[in-house]
């Protein structure tokens, strides 16, 4: 394999990895946003049920 072809393969792979990382960041941000929206409601109900235990 010639050095030019090897270099082009590396460049294309780096581009693919950057795109995958950006997609992963967007997905994690969406999960974080969803948890923040649901988190306040869920923590109140969880604390309510925590007080109902008698043990």
């Amino acid at each position: 394999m010639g050095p030019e072809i090897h270099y082009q393969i590396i460049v294309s792979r780096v581009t693919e990895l950057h795109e995958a990382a950006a997609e992963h960041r967007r997905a994690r941000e969406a999960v974080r946003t969803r948890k923040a929206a649901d988190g306040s409601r869920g923590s109140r109900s969880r604390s309510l049920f925590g007080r109902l235990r008698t043990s």
Side-chain angles (χ1 to χ4, degrees), residues 35-53:
K35 283 185 178 180
D38 293 341
S40 61
R41 185 179 54 196
S43 64
R44 281 197 309 259
S45 63
R46 187 172 33 245
S47 64
L48 172 68
F49 289 124
R51 285 187 223 126
L52 292 177
R53 279 190 285 165

Side-chain angles (χ1 to χ4, degrees), residues 2 4 19 26 31-34 41 43-44 54:
E4 302 87 21
E19 290 171 358
R26 282 191 302 272
V31 168
R32 197 175 317 129
T33 302
R34 189 186 70 223
R41 185 179 54 196
S43 64
R44 281 197 309 259
T54 58

